[in-house]
């Protein structure tokens, strides 16, 4: 391979869960597996959580995702509509906030868009009621039709309950995805994050909690409406749990994130030697068992003295390896921490590239695009520090003035 790299040194392969990447027959993973039999399958858990939420809310009686798209379409394509909405905000003494766009393939956009819709919902109802049924999209009208004579400000109608239910449930997934997207999240953290999502959904189902506003409005619904709401919300919880169980193995021995989760030093209790051996064997790592036990004994004696201030597993492992000579344990942790948490970083690179390589800058060379991406993704200094550093670098300034960048 280019730059002298070899597939034999690749620890794992992470991508979205499409069949072209992880299909059983003739996928990218199976092709790579032919070259490296020890290659680890690391599915992108951000995709799993995003698709889980999308799948769970798909069959709701009132389609909240489509509602978000339709309302955004009304105001994004018409400045007149936006100005009219601002007028209603002034009349209702309500702060105006722009309706957010939801992009169906973006992981976190639906929660932000629904949250904004809920924030503006009182004024939006006034706007669409004044506009009338004939000038309002039928989907939007289903959410407000029962209030065309009098807007209800004290409790939620049945369609509104579904909107607020989605708004209360989506943060479970958004919070988890944000955790998985963080640069300091490790493969040892993933199982804990996904397990917490499952526990929260199970807890809400057991407690019959559909969001505070929704639960407070149940007594104002008719018996038939209440039965519809409870049935639909319970079905959503079941679909969410079924999807998670299908695409993420909580009990099986083939889930790499579950296997390596025991090596998290931030846990109150240290893992056992048998746990360590199991991880080494599952990842097909060659190690000296006797030496590994001696190294584990050293870890056991010093783990209580490691710095837990930041609750950072990686820093704790680094601190241990700086103090102790543990080549077998180091080898295992090298493999474990090399397993990607998700392919969020790759997706972010694509987004940065699309923003850079725009129609207005279509003469950019491939080398320049690569250089700018490297700067944006890897340079961590502030703008002020960067400015000061550039002023001192004459070579860089001369290169910036030249036409070679084109």
């Amino acid at each position: 391979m280019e730059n002298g790299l070899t597939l034999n040194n690749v620890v794992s392969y992470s991508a979205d869960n499409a069949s072209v990447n992880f299909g059983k027959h003739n996928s990218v993973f199976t092709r790579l597996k032919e070259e490296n039999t020890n290659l680890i399958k690391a599915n992108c858990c951000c995709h799993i959580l995003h698709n889980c939420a999308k799948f769970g809310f798909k069959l709701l009686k009132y389609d909240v995702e489509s509602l978000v798209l339709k309302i955004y379409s009304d105001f994004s394509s018409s400045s007149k509509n936006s100005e009219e909405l601002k007028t209603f905000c002034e009349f209702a003494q309500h702060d105006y906030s722009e309706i957010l766009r939801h992009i169906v393939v973006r992981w976190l956009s639906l929660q932000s868009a629904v949250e904004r819709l809920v924030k503006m919902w009182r004024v939006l109802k006034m706007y669409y009621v004044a506009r009338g049924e004939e000038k309002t999209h039928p989907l939007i009208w289903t959410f407000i039709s029962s209030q065309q004579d009098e807007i209800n400000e004290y409790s939620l109608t049945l369609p509104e309950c579904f909107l607020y239910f989605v708004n209360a449930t989506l943060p479970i997934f958004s919070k988890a995805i944000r955790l998985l997207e963080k640069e300091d999240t490790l493969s040892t953290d993933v199982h804990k994050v996904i397990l917490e999502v499952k526990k929260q959904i199970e807890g809400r189902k057991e407690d019959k909690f559909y969001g505070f506003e929704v639960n407070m409005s149940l007594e104002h619904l008719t018996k038939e409406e209440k039965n519809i709401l409870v049935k639909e919300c319970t079905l959503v919880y079941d679909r969410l749990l079924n999807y998670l169980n299908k695409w993420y193995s909580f009990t099986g021995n083939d889930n790499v994130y579950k296997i390596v989760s025991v090596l998290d030093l931030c846990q109150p209790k240290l893992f056992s030697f048998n746990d360590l051996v199991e991880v080494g064997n599952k990842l097909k790592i060659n190690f000296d068992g006797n030496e590994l036990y001696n190294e584990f004994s050293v870890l056991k004696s010093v783990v209580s003295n490691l710095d837990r201030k930041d609750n950072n597993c990686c820093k704790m492992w680094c601190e241990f390896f700086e103090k102790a000579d543990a080549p077998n344990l180091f080898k295992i942790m090298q493999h474990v921490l090399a397993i990607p948490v998700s392919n969020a970083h790759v997706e972010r690179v694509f987004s940065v590239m699309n923003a850079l390589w725009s129609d207005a800058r279509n003469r950019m060379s491939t080398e320049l695009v690569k250089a700018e991406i490297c700067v944006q993704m890897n340079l961590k200094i502030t703008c002020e520090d960067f400015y000061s550093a550039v002023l001192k670098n004459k070579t860089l300034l001369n290169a910036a003035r030249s036409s070679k960048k084109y």
Side-chain angles (χ1 to χ4, degrees):
M1 292 179 67
E2 187 180 353
N3 299 323
L5 299 176
T6 170
L7 280 174
N8 291 328
N9 293 332
V10 177
V11 173
S12 64
Y13 173 68
S14 177
D16 64 60
N17 306 304
S19 57
V20 66
N21 290 317
F22 287 113
K24 293 181 179 179
H25 309 288
N26 200 30
S27 63
V28 175
F29 180 72
T30 56
R31 290 288 188 91
L32 292 174
K33 192 84 170 174
E34 292 173 1
E35 301 292 330
N36 181 355
T37 56
N38 294 332
L39 191 67
I40 299 168
K41 178 183 178 183
N43 298 82
C44 177
C45 292
C46 287
H47 276 92
I48 292 175
L49 291 174
H50 169 81
N51 292 336
C52 178
K54 191 175 181 65
F55 176 81
F57 297 119
K58 191 175 182 180
L59 296 182
L60 277 177
K61 181 179 179 66
Y62 295 91
D63 190 346
V64 174
E65 185 173 10
S66 295
L67 174 70
V68 170
L69 295 171
K70 294 298 182 185
I71 291 181
Y72 173 79
S73 177
D74 271 356
F75 296 102
S76 64
S77 59
S78 172
S79 57
K80 178 185 175 183
N81 291 348
S82 297
E83 290 303 317
E84 288 179 353
L85 182 61
K86 290 178 182 178
T87 303
F88 275 90
C89 285
E90 291 177 6
F91 174 77
Q93 296 182 333
H94 191 289
D95 292 335
Y96 172 78
S97 297
E98 186 177 349
I99 304 300
L100 298 180
R101 182 185 182 188
H102 165 51
I103 303 174
V104 293
V105 295
R106 293 286 177 88
W107 293 334
L108 300 170
S109 72
L110 181 58
Q111 196 249 320
S112 300
V114 171
E115 189 177 34
R116 179 60 57 83
L117 209 63
V118 167
K119 181 181 178 181
M120 291 288 293
W121 187 244
R122 175 168 158 264
V123 180
L124 284 168
K125 285 194 296 184
M126 295 169 59
Y127 171 82
Y128 281 112
V129 167
R131 194 175 183 181
E133 183 177 1
E134 292 183 359
K135 295 182 179 180
T136 302
H137 191 280
L139 176 66
I140 300 174
W141 192 252
T142 59
F143 280 82
I144 61 171
S145 59
S146 61
Q147 302 180 67
Q148 56 182 319
D149 297 324
E150 182 181 0
I151 293 178
N152 189 347
E153 297 188 14
Y154 304 103
S155 62
L156 303 177
T157 62
L158 178 61
E160 289 173 330
C161 282
F162 285 101
L163 173 62
Y164 278 74
F165 167 65
V166 172
N167 185 53
T169 310
L170 277 175
I172 298 174
F173 296 90
S174 298
K175 181 182 177 181
I177 290 174
R178 286 191 177 96
L179 282 173
L180 295 177
E181 283 187 328
K182 290 174 64 178
E183 291 185 359
D184 58 353
T185 301
L186 308 174
S187 56
T188 53
D189 302 322
V190 174
H191 184 67
K192 179 173 61 178
V193 173
I194 305 297
L195 191 61
E196 179 62 25
V197 172
K198 182 183 180 183
K199 287 180 179 178
Q200 287 197 46
I201 298 171
E202 289 174 337
R204 290 183 178 221
K205 178 185 175 183
E206 183 180 347
D207 296 336
K208 297 181 179 179
F209 181 76
Y210 314 116
F212 182 75
E213 293 88 349
V214 177
N215 280 58
M216 292 298 100
S217 298
L218 286 176
E219 61 185 65
H220 300 288
L221 300 177
T222 66
K223 183 178 180 181
E224 182 182 359
E225 288 176 332
K226 183 177 178 180
N227 290 337
I228 291 173
L229 178 65
V230 171
K231 182 180 177 181
E232 292 263 333
C233 292
T234 304
L235 179 62
V236 168
Y237 287 148
D238 287 337
R239 285 171 64 85
L240 293 173
L241 292 171
N242 290 337
Y243 191 94
L244 275 180
N245 288 323
K246 178 180 178 182
W247 291 99
Y248 185 89
S249 178
F250 290 95
T251 57
N253 295 321
D254 59 339
N255 184 346
V256 64
Y257 295 117
K258 179 176 180 292
I259 293 168
V260 303
S261 63
V262 297
L263 302 184
D264 182 6
L265 288 181
C266 297
Q267 296 180 105
K269 185 179 179 182
L270 183 65
F271 52 86
S272 68
F273 178 68
N274 289 336
D275 291 331
L276 183 59
V277 171
E278 184 181 1
V279 172
N281 290 334
K282 288 287 185 182
L283 301 185
K284 299 178 182 178
I285 301 171
N286 295 321
F287 56 85
D288 186 318
N290 293 321
E291 289 298 321
L292 181 63
Y293 180 78
N294 293 334
E295 295 164 12
F296 174 73
S297 299
V298 174
L299 174 64
K300 207 164 45 165
S301 65
V302 302
V303 68
S304 59
N305 298 323
L306 297 178
D307 185 7
R308 294 176 177 268
K309 181 175 63 176
D310 299 327
N311 206 33
N312 189 309
C313 175
C314 187
K315 287 184 179 180
M316 293 175 70
W317 275 113
C318 289
E319 183 184 350
F320 169 73
F321 288 125
E322 287 173 359
K323 296 177 179 179
D325 182 25
N328 291 278
L329 191 49
F330 184 79
K331 190 176 182 181
I332 291 175
M333 290 311 302
Q334 268 187 321
H335 278 72
V336 169
L337 298 183
I339 299 171
V341 172
S342 72
N343 64 331
H345 183 79
V346 178
E347 300 281 355
R348 197 173 292 120
V349 171
F350 289 147
S351 297
V352 170
M353 183 181 70
N354 289 334
L356 288 173
W357 213 346
S358 61
D359 292 339
R361 304 181 71 193
N362 58 13
R363 291 183 61 199
M364 292 174 68
S365 65
T366 307
E367 291 76 14
L368 178 58
V369 175
K370 178 182 177 182
E372 289 202 24
I373 291 174
C374 287
V375 168
Q376 289 207 26
M377 301 304 295
N378 300 315
L379 205 62
K380 303 300 180 184
I381 64 175
T382 63
C383 294
E384 291 83 357
D385 292 339
F386 178 74
Y387 177 73
S388 299
V390 168
L391 287 180
K392 298 174 184 177
N393 193 328
K394 301 299 181 184
T395 304
L396 184 59
L397 289 173
N398 291 333
R401 292 190 187 100
S402 72
S403 61
K404 290 181 180 180
K405 58 181 177 289
Y406 298 110

